[in-house]
Amino acid sequence: MDGGVRSRRREQTRRTLLRESRPLFAEHGYGAVGLAEIVRAAGVTKGALYHHFEGKADLFRAVLEEVQGEVAARVAATADAEDDPWARLLAGCRAFLTASTAPGVQRIMLVDGPAVLGWSEWRAMDEGASARHLTDALADLVERGTIAPRPVEPLAHLLSGAMNEAALWLAGSARPDRDLDDAWAALARMLEAFRVR
């Protein structure tokens, strides 16, 4: 068997482990999912899992990175569809709230992510995914004079924290659609306070 075929099989096994573990983590949570359950769902051996990942936490990190990347891509695509920079910020923030309210996303990205990896590593991953887009959008608005001159980094962290907290609150909602609208209305009012009149 040539190296190209082996390489493709290894990549296929890695993708299968990610694909099969993600719904398990999403439905049951990191703590309730064992390696035996993951390898059984993926149809591979524990040795194959350890060939690709150092263990369950490393596999979870890869799943989280995938989820964060998908949310960031959805947010960026929604924001980029708007021509006006202020409308881009609003659309991106609303898209983040909407995307992060999906149950599998919430549990992996906002509940288990910080608990499993630790706050510092989770925050670094978050900044590499969606938080960077928020910082860039805010910096552009400050440069344009839409937002009064101020340090962008603290503002980005505050808004990111507010959106993450809103998404967690929505996770326990008995009426997620209505509460999403209420959370968005509150966030939009907060954003408007930063806008230069």
Side-chain angles (χ1 to χ4, degrees), residues 6-194:
R6 276 195 300 271
S7 177
R8 282 191 298 278
R9 282 190 179 166
R10 279 193 301 271
E11 183 54 31
Q12 182 177 354
T13 298
R14 186 179 191 284
R15 282 194 314 268
T16 300
L17 284 163
L18 288 169
R19 183 185 67 240
E20 296 301 326
S21 64
R22 182 172 171 171
L24 293 171
F25 289 139
E27 184 178 345
H28 305 292
Y30 176 85
V33 176
L35 285 179
E37 189 176 1
I38 293 168
V39 296
R40 186 172 47 252
V44 301
T45 64
K46 281 188 182 180
L49 184 143
Y50 283 113
H51 178 75
H52 294 280
F53 303 99
E54 292 177 11
K56 186 170 83 164
D58 193 36
L59 173 60
F60 178 80
R61 182 182 297 105
V63 169
L64 172 60
E65 188 173 23
E66 184 178 86
V67 170
Q68 285 178 324
E70 289 170 7
V71 169
R74 201 169 309 140
V75 167
T78 302
D80 291 345
E82 299 293 335
D83 292 329
D84 176 69
W86 183 255
R88 262 196 303 276
L89 174 69
L90 296 178
C93 289
R94 176 140 187 149
F96 175 82
L97 276 183
T98 302
S100 63
T101 57
V105 171
Q106 282 176 335
R107 176 168 264 171
I108 291 170
M109 192 170 83
L110 300 173
V111 177
D112 284 347
V116 172
L117 302 180
W119 175 255
S120 295
E121 184 175 352
W122 176 84
R123 186 69 187 139
M125 289 177 71
D126 183 55
E127 285 178 5
S130 59
R132 180 177 40 83
H133 297 296
L134 178 59
T135 302
D136 291 347
L138 291 169
D140 180 50
L141 289 167
V142 167
E143 188 176 306
R144 292 172 180 272
T146 307
I147 293 177
R150 68 188 61 215
V152 170
E153 194 170 329
L155 179 58
H157 280 274
L158 288 169
L159 289 175
S160 178
M163 288 187 287
N164 286 340
E165 187 60 33
L168 286 170
W169 174 69
L170 289 166
S173 172
R175 42 181 212 166
D177 291 338
R178 183 173 172 190
D179 285 344
L180 175 59
D181 289 340
D182 290 346
W184 171 245
L187 182 63
R189 281 192 301 275
M190 189 168 71
L191 289 167
E192 280 296 331
F194 296 110

